[in-house]
Amino acid sequence: VVVIVGGVLLLTVTRGPGSDLPNRLFYFIYPLLSSLTFGVNPIFKKWGLVVAAVPALGTLVNHATATVFIFTAGPWLGIRAWHQERVPFRSAVLFGIAGVTEAIASLCTYKALLLAPAVLVAPIWRISPLITFVISHFSLRALESVTLRDGLAAVLIVGGVWILSQLCIKGKNNIKM
């Protein structure tokens, strides 16, 4: 937990005097809420797979439900789902590619949950911040500054989650029923 908190602190501390960036703590709440909801997500997926081992159908229901929820609950978060605005073709293509990668990730998530316990596989697919860091560092240079400090924070967070998952697995193995 200390390692995770250290990583979060590295991401949330302001860059210093004269920086035009706002205090990151303010807008870090949404990623934390995302982590909480993504954290319970594998549990519901695993329960669903216990009832019916259908990864593709599970992915479809998962994404359809998410889409309906986004359009109905989005306004609570200040997201105007029905705001009409023309989406540039290039943007639509990039969103489409993101959708394909999301679908592949979901299918792989369900398949992983069929093969192993959620407590084992969830930390593995949670290394995504490290992948995002590396790809962002090389591909988003013109849009955002990705520093070594950001990479260190990602490593600390992912490492802390991995350590916690290993402790949970070890604790589970030591429990006698």
Side-chain angles (χ1 to χ4, degrees):
V1 172
V2 170
V3 174
I4 295 169
V5 170
V8 170
L9 286 175
L10 275 177
L11 289 176
T12 58
V13 174
T14 56
R15 299 232 185 240
S19 173
D20 59 348
L21 292 174
N23 186 327
R24 289 182 170 192
L25 188 57
F26 177 75
Y27 61 83
F28 199 70
I29 292 170
Y30 287 113
L32 286 176
L33 289 173
S34 175
S35 292
L36 289 171
T37 54
F38 272 128
V40 298
N41 183 291
I43 306 305
F44 292 107
K45 288 177 180 177
K46 184 72 172 192
W47 284 340
L49 289 169
V50 167
V51 175
V54 287
L57 183 59
T59 299
L60 174 67
V61 171
N62 187 132
H63 287 269
T65 304
T67 300
V68 169
F69 189 82
I70 287 168
F71 281 101
T72 57
W76 294 338
L77 297 173
I79 299 168
R80 295 177 13 194
W82 300 110
H83 176 73
Q84 290 198 350
E85 187 172 327
R86 188 166 184 212
V87 177
F89 178 75
R90 183 170 181 229
S91 183
V93 168
L94 292 168
F95 286 144
I97 293 169
V100 169
T101 60
E102 181 81 22
I104 292 169
S106 290
L107 286 170
C108 291
T109 297
Y110 278 94
K111 187 66 176 178
L113 287 169
L114 277 173
L115 300 173
V119 72
L120 271 177
V121 295
I124 296 169
W125 73 65
R126 297 297 187 227
I127 66 165
S128 60
L130 299 178
I131 295 165
T132 303
F133 169 75
V134 171
I135 294 171
S136 295
H137 180 71
F138 295 107
S139 65
L140 298 177
R141 288 181 187 214
L143 299 174
E144 54 188 59
S145 173
V146 181
T147 65
L148 186 58
R149 178 178 161 170
D150 296 327
L152 177 61
V155 168
L156 288 173
I157 293 168
V158 170
V161 170
W162 183 83
I163 290 168
L164 282 176
S165 69
Q166 295 306 305
L167 291 173
C168 289
I169 293 166
K170 189 172 186 132
K172 180 181 176 187
N173 292 337
N174 290 335
I175 296 173
K176 299 194 181 189
M177 295 188 177

